[in-house]
Amino acid sequence: MVPQKVYYGSNTDKHGARLDVYVEEETEEETDIAYDVEPDMPYDDGAETIFLYTKGKKGDKPEKLCQLLHYMEDSREENAVNESLRNLHQMVTRVKQDGEVVLEYMKICEREAMLIKQGRKQGREEEQANTERERKRAYV
């Protein structure tokens, strides 16, 4: 599997998702895979995008989907209640033990914390400037 895009939770209390691509070739030739998005070119490969909300109460949901969503919210071994989820949990466990993954996750958490701190500082500065403007306007 080659990771294409990684989405992490904003802190250690949240989970991330990794979107992968898997290519199986019958030949041993090296293949370069790329695509170019052309806005005018129709592209219909039959793929669908679905959005899953783990707190939803409506609709008829297959039991395996409910189990998957529960596991995604809380990826502990006891929530891996079927063979597919046990296999997934083994992969998740291996990734969590990978030092590079842990280091990258920590870097992302640090960067997000820094951005939040900068945003708060900027917000305070803007509020102070607004307050000063209003104060000057009130005394005119």
Side-chain angles (χ1 to χ4, degrees):
M1 277 187 243
V2 179
Q4 297 298 306
K5 187 71 176 173
V6 180
Y7 298 95
Y8 291 103
S10 60
N11 62 43
T12 54
D13 293 334
K14 301 201 176 171
H15 300 279
R18 186 178 80 189
L19 306 178
D20 295 311
V21 63
Y22 174 77
V23 177
E24 187 173 321
E25 294 278 330
E26 289 191 23
T27 66
E28 293 192 21
E29 294 178 16
E30 187 174 322
T31 305
D32 182 23
I33 298 172
Y35 69 92
D36 189 17
V37 176
E38 293 287 333
D40 297 335
M41 186 172 84
Y43 184 75
D44 184 14
D45 65 354
E48 294 180 40
T49 301
I50 60 170
F51 296 90
L52 302 170
Y53 179 58
T54 61
K55 305 287 189 225
K57 304 285 185 218
K58 292 184 178 181
D60 227 1
K61 300 170 291 282
E63 182 62 24
K64 280 191 171 187
L65 177 59
C66 292
Q67 293 169 344
L68 172 64
L69 294 175
H70 180 68
Y71 177 80
M72 290 176 76
E73 279 189 319
D74 188 4
S75 56
R76 292 180 291 149
E77 186 173 10
E78 55 266 24
N79 292 329
V81 296
N82 62 46
E83 188 63 29
S84 296
L85 292 178
R86 284 188 285 277
N87 291 337
L88 177 62
H89 185 71
Q90 287 177 349
M91 288 186 270
V92 167
T93 301
R94 282 196 303 267
V95 168
K96 285 181 176 180
Q97 293 171 349
D98 185 326
E100 285 184 40
V101 173
V102 172
L103 179 61
E104 187 64 28
Y105 183 79
M106 296 302 287
K107 286 179 183 178
I108 288 169
C109 289
E110 287 176 6
R111 176 159 169 67
E112 287 183 358
M114 180 192 68
L115 291 172
I116 289 168
K117 185 177 179 180
Q118 287 175 346
R120 287 182 177 148
K121 180 182 178 201
Q122 182 180 352
R124 283 191 301 273
E125 290 169 354
E126 289 174 2
E127 185 60 30
Q128 287 172 348
N130 286 340
T131 301
E132 188 60 32
R133 244 189 331 273
E134 289 299 316
R135 187 175 296 139
K136 286 179 181 178
R137 195 172 70 111
Y139 290 115
V140 173

